[in-house]
Amino acid sequence: MMQFLFADAVYIVPINVAIWAICIGVNLGFIVSFFSRNIAGDIVRRLLALPIGEENAKTLGELGYKKVSFLNKVLLKDGSALRRIVFVLGGQIPMSENTEGISVPDFASARFYIPESQRKRAEITYGEKQKWIFLPIFVILSISVSALMAWLMPMLMDAII
């Protein structure tokens, strides 16, 4: 029975391995997208609820965050994907000295805003929170389709070849 996908003349990849690798990649991509939209999007949704523009820039405290979490620091650091939509007053996170005298970004005093030019993009990308029920439904459906394909593909390849 023919159950292999020939990648080149030397190495043979079983078709089931390729199917499950695609399944894992698609699921990881969906999970990252889901969490990005729901968790990173929380900052954007809070900014969208306020007037847009540089003159309405707010600190994380003013947006309702009790403290600056590690996740907020990662999401809002200079050069991050979220910072293509969420801008900081002055162009960069302000710096302050910590207890050891080292200059570190001061996220607590940074003032964030969404410019009018990014409003539409922010609304499309992060505007609505995805419902949690979609995550398990997508994972279950993709695993089911992958299992069906892993069972069906060897038979189809035998019939073709």
Side-chain angles (χ1 to χ4, degrees):
M1 188 165 24
M2 180 60 128
Q3 296 182 17
F4 298 101
L5 178 65
F6 295 95
D8 61 21
V10 179
Y11 187 71
I12 299 172
V13 178
I15 190 74
N16 291 346
V17 172
I19 290 169
W20 288 110
I22 292 168
C23 175
I24 290 168
V26 167
N27 278 305
L28 286 176
F30 181 78
I31 290 167
V32 167
S33 170
F34 183 85
F35 281 106
S36 171
R37 179 171 279 231
N38 286 343
I39 294 171
D42 183 56
I43 297 167
V44 176
R45 284 187 293 278
R46 289 180 189 211
L47 286 168
L48 285 172
L50 302 169
I52 298 294
E54 189 173 341
E55 62 279 356
N56 298 307
K58 302 289 184 196
T59 64
L60 290 174
E62 292 170 334
L63 289 173
Y65 293 99
K66 291 184 171 92
K67 66 176 192 154
V68 179
S69 69
F70 174 75
L71 183 61
N72 285 341
K73 289 178 183 180
V74 169
L75 292 172
L76 292 169
K77 71 179 180 178
D78 291 333
S80 69
L82 191 60
R83 286 287 303 282
R84 292 186 199 119
I85 293 174
V86 176
F87 288 58
V88 66
L89 208 56
Q92 288 186 330
I93 305 289
M95 302 299 273
S96 65
E97 286 190 14
N98 65 9
T99 55
E100 292 123 23
I102 299 170
S103 190
V104 294
D106 184 11
F107 285 91
S109 68
R111 302 185 72 75
F112 299 98
Y113 67 97
I114 297 175
E116 188 61 45
S117 63
Q118 295 295 325
R119 178 189 199 103
K120 191 80 167 162
R121 183 177 175 194
E123 288 172 347
I124 291 169
T125 307
Y126 298 104
E128 277 189 41
K129 197 172 186 178
Q130 287 182 333
K131 293 181 175 64
W132 286 95
I133 192 69
F134 290 128
L135 183 62
I137 288 173
F138 179 83
V139 171
I140 290 169
L141 283 175
S142 67
I143 290 172
S144 300
V145 168
S146 296
L148 177 65
M149 293 306 291
W151 174 74
L152 194 57
M153 282 304 288
M155 291 188 290
L156 288 175
M157 295 202 48
D158 277 340
I160 293 171
I161 299 175

